[in-house]
Amino acid sequence: MLGICYYPEHWPESIWAQDAAEMYGLGIRYVRIAEFAWSRLEPSPGQYRFDWLDRAISTLADAGLKVVMCTPTATPPKWLIDMYPSILPVDVKTGHSRGFGSRRHYDFSSPDYFREAMRISTVLAERYGAHPAVVGWQTDNELACHDTTHSGSDAALTAFRAWCQQHYADIDALNSAWGNVFWSMEYRHFGEIELPILAVTETNPAHQLAYRRFSSDQVVRFHDEMVRIIRAHAPGRFVTHNFIPMVDTQTDNYALAKPLDFASFDNYPLGRSDLFFAKRGAAMFKPYMRTGHPDFSSYYFDQTRGLTGKHFWIMEQQPGPVNWAKHNPRPEPGMVRLWSWVSFAHGADVVSYFRWRQAPFAQEQMHAGLKRIDNSKAAAWPEIEQLVRELALCPDLLQQQVKASVAMVSTTENQWVCEIERQGDSFNQQEVEFAWYSALRQLGVDVDFVSPEQDLTGYKLVLVPCMPVVRPEFAQRCKDSGAWLVFGPRTGSKTTEFQLVPQLAPGLLQALIPVKVLSVETIRPDCAEPLFIGQKQYQSQCWREELEVPPSCQVLAHYHDGLPAVAQHQRAVYVATVSCDDFLKALFADVLKQAGVETVVLPHDVRLARRGGLTFLFNYSAKPCKVAAPASAQWLLGSATLDGYGVAIYR
């Protein structure tokens, strides 16, 4: 149930056996290796050095550890770049090649890199696919990290033109779909199409959306072939990938995860919170500076579980300060243990810590490990010892399944549309989605993330925070689900080719809720206006739609000028604005009650999660607090009185 990320190539071979023995003694059973080791595995073209890796695997196996092998394709070596300079991606903001000297310096459209990446993957899979100590594989590492999905290279241009010809067949059809008559942008043939980058001002949004779909397809194509190679040579072994937050990949993560046995996630609560909440004031951020926001990690855990509909792994868990955020505080004492339990509560089967020992050199030397560079034990060590003892109290944990009665529909296409056509700089699709998710979590509600292609039957409530492109099949799934439905602003407003829907937003969803969006305005975040449910006042922020509401609908909330802001028709609700946390909780509490979903009153910084028959409680505050629990609760860990940064579990 616990793992570690280890880099034997970073350390003298004389300490490998001691490291392995200490890992096993701590309670670690899985070790991930080799994801950045290409230059050591193939120091020159075709000259392989596997002897050291063979010995490292044997050393780990002799200690009772299981190995997760990685393809080393995230870091192509210098000799490969010198042989094929076109491997380097071209920055879409500058038009310059992104150079060698860090990682992820490759272009998904480069035919040379595709060939070489699959070659080294094949060589590794042939050698270690059937190795008894290797139980599974990780593909690449954090695909699309560092804004590497998009490239402005000649190879990307050639591939994009071919993609357009395949998808549109006829250049007149493309011109019509994109609306290229506007600004005299019409093409005579596919060979005239450029990438939508480096123009004088904004490029055609339909062109941009097509380029993002193409770029996503290139990543998926690369990954699919790598998985196919591994499976051909590694029978009976699992294949996974360590995802970063969906919003950062610019890729369809559901498509990317499709060939995997399960998804994995790299969890860095403090680093990610520092970046996500960078614009929030200290009053909001400081209480969570060393804990992470109570809903932020679980937001990603539930997304990761949703990628395959199966339990997941945490492949990298932050054990102390990191090095890559704008600011990098240390975790409060007890938080590494709490984060680990939150992972398990939301469906993790393994939590793997990054890394075993802090590196004394190179880019990540300020990133903590479980051990310091002098080999002393870092602050997280006793927390993991405690976690191991506590895991023994839940022997059936991995048999418990996570299944929520509330679903949130999410797709990268939502993000693409909202990024391409911002309309208001303060509108952010991910922030809207997270606010809806956080409101549900504050009400003690478990959430499944699902793709628009997934069957929605079985859910009592389905939420769609922001989904501009609605296809007929999704509208039908909503209708067939029998669930209560809540749609957020911008939903149903665009065609698949980024045009305004002819019947006005929410477009196809008018069959479920017959409202019309007559106009849209965006306002500065410091110019929020009153929003009312009855006589109770909240705030309308950033985005505001003017609704036409027929008599068949009920108005649930209205703006300061009396115009409708939220409307309901039978089991469907349309929310026409971005609002504050209190408004969302009040609105959702009412809808959840009507949908038959139980809510729980929780202290401010306490969260609840359910995994099968187990209920988990987490206190993100330093202050102890009392929580309500059923009289029949059988406490496996803790009690209804939660310690500061405490965890409790009952059956």
Side-chain angles (χ1 to χ4, degrees), residues 396-467:
D396 63 340
L397 175 63
L398 300 189
Q399 284 70 55
Q400 303 289 329
Q401 301 296 308
V402 178
K403 178 59 180 175
S405 58
V406 174
M408 184 169 286
V409 183
S410 181
T411 168
T412 311
E413 192 171 58
N414 302 346
Q415 170 195 340
W416 292 338
V417 171
C418 295
E419 288 176 345
I420 292 168
E421 186 183 69
R422 295 185 61 80
Q423 187 64 16
D425 282 347
S426 57
F427 183 91
N428 181 292
Q429 178 268 338
Q430 187 195 19
E431 290 182 358
V432 173
E433 184 177 88
F434 176 74
W436 283 39
Y437 174 85
S438 180
L440 293 169
R441 297 295 301 142
Q442 291 176 66
L443 294 168
V445 175
D446 297 302
V447 180
D448 283 346
F449 276 86
V450 299
S451 79
E453 288 74 38
Q454 187 167 328
D455 182 13
L456 300 175
T457 56
Y459 289 106
K460 295 181 178 180
L461 173 63
V462 175
L463 297 104
V464 187
C466 176
M467 188 175 173

Side-chain angles (χ1 to χ4, degrees), residues 267-272 274 289-291 316-333 335-336 339 353-359 363-372 377-381 383:
N267 186 43
Y268 292 92
L270 302 191
R272 290 290 173 189
D274 183 79
M289 183 172 67
R290 293 191 174 94
T291 65
E316 298 181 16
Q317 171 59 64
Q318 176 178 357
V322 299
N323 65 296
W324 45 262
K326 301 295 184 183
H327 312 90
N328 296 289
R330 60 169 177 78
E332 291 285 2
M335 288 310 300
V336 174
W339 294 332
Y353 300 94
F354 183 91
R355 49 188 281 165
W356 174 246
R357 185 184 292 107
Q358 185 175 356
Q363 286 92 326
E364 293 183 349
Q365 58 187 276
M366 296 297 286
H367 194 302
L370 297 190
K371 304 195 83 177
R372 303 182 183 93
K377 297 171 182 176
W381 189 283
E383 294 187 34

Side-chain angles (χ1 to χ4, degrees), residues 73-337:
T73 47
T75 51
K78 184 60 162 64
W79 60 258
L80 187 62
I81 300 301
D82 291 343
M83 286 179 66
Y84 306 108
S86 64
I87 286 174
L88 294 173
V90 172
D91 193 313
V92 297
K93 296 179 181 178
T94 65
H96 298 147
S97 290
R98 303 177 75 175
F100 178 87
S102 58
R103 64 178 182 176
R104 300 223 56 79
H105 42 278
Y106 69 78
D107 187 333
F108 286 103
S109 293
S110 166
D112 290 325
Y113 193 64
F114 187 91
R115 182 188 65 251
E116 292 299 303
M118 301 313 147
R119 177 187 60 80
I120 191 65
S121 297
T122 301
V123 169
L124 273 176
E126 287 176 340
R127 186 174 186 90
Y128 298 109
H131 195 295
V134 177
V135 297
W137 289 74
Q138 175 192 294
T139 53
D140 203 271
N141 183 80
E142 296 183 339
L143 280 165
C145 190
H146 309 306
D147 298 320
T148 51
T149 294
H150 305 135
S151 176
S153 66
D154 290 341
L157 175 59
T158 299
F160 180 56
R161 287 170 172 170
W163 184 93
C164 288
Q165 186 158 14
Q166 178 184 356
H167 279 72
Y168 295 97
D170 180 78
I171 195 65
D172 291 334
L174 179 145
N175 282 324
S176 177
W178 290 5
N180 281 340
V181 66
F182 192 81
W183 283 357
S184 195
M185 296 181 293
E186 291 164 301
Y187 298 110
R188 295 174 299 164
H189 52 79
F190 288 99
E192 287 188 337
I193 296 174
E194 300 289 347
L195 299 178
I197 61 174
L198 304 175
V200 172
T201 184
E202 62 186 301
T203 53
N204 187 329
H207 190 169
Q208 292 186 55
L209 183 58
Y211 173 63
R212 293 196 189 206
R213 286 171 173 157
F214 152 77
S215 299
S216 175
D217 286 352
Q218 293 294 88
V219 180
V220 172
R221 166 181 166 267
F222 178 90
H223 185 244
D224 281 355
E225 180 62 11
M226 187 173 293
V227 175
R228 187 197 65 77
I229 289 169
I230 294 169
R231 293 208 184 280
H233 300 286
R237 273 64 172 181
F238 67 75
V239 184
T240 189
H241 177 72
N242 59 327
F243 288 84
I244 58 173
M246 291 173 65
V247 68
D248 292 339
T249 68
Q250 290 288 336
T251 300
D252 181 349
N253 283 15
Y254 289 102
L256 200 59
K258 191 173 182 179
L260 299 175
D261 292 293
F262 55 86
S264 297
F265 182 71
D266 291 351
N267 186 43
Y268 292 92
L270 302 191
R272 290 290 173 189
S273 289
D274 183 79
L275 296 177
F276 187 76
F277 299 105
K279 296 180 181 180
R280 305 289 181 93
M284 176 272 161
F285 178 74
K286 192 173 181 181
Y288 308 125
M289 183 172 67
R290 293 191 174 94
T291 65
H293 188 281
D295 301 309
F296 205 53
S297 289
S298 60
Y299 172 64
Y300 293 124
F301 298 160
D302 290 342
Q303 285 185 349
T304 303
R305 192 180 69 250
L307 293 179
T308 61
K310 300 175 183 176
H311 290 177
F312 59 95
W313 279 29
I314 299 299
M315 195 61 80
E316 298 181 16
Q317 171 59 64
Q318 176 178 357
V322 299
N323 65 296
W324 45 262
K326 301 295 184 183
H327 312 90
N328 296 289
R330 60 169 177 78
E332 291 285 2
M335 288 310 300
V336 174
R337 164 190 174 248

Side-chain angles (χ1 to χ4, degrees), residues 555-634:
V555 175
L556 302 183
H558 60 276
Y559 298 116
H560 69 287
D561 53 11
L563 294 177
V566 180
Q568 177 182 341
H569 178 72
Q570 298 174 358
R571 289 175 171 244
V573 176
Y574 187 85
V575 182
T577 187
V578 175
S579 189
C580 59
D581 199 45
D582 288 340
F583 174 84
L584 291 173
K585 286 191 290 184
L587 176 66
F588 292 163
D590 181 61
V591 175
L592 287 161
K593 182 178 180 181
Q594 295 184 74
V597 179
E598 179 187 2
T599 58
V600 181
V601 177
L602 295 168
H604 178 63
D605 289 323
V606 171
R607 294 296 184 270
L608 176 151
R610 303 168 187 87
R611 178 169 178 166
L614 302 177
T615 298
F616 299 77
L617 295 161
F618 304 102
N619 185 6
Y620 281 80
S621 168
K623 298 178 180 179
C625 63
K626 182 88 171 176
V627 295
S632 59
Q634 301 174 14

Side-chain angles (χ1 to χ4, degrees), residues 489-527:
R490 305 193 78 161
T491 298
S493 60
K494 300 292 182 182
T495 69
T496 56
E497 293 296 345
F498 216 127
Q499 297 189 17
L500 292 169
V501 293
Q503 68 271 52
L504 300 182
L508 297 174
L509 297 176
Q510 287 172 4
L512 297 168
I513 180 163
V515 299
K516 288 186 177 182
V517 176
L518 303 180
S519 68
V520 173
E521 65 173 343
T522 56
I523 57 178
R524 285 173 33 160
D526 58 352
C527 294

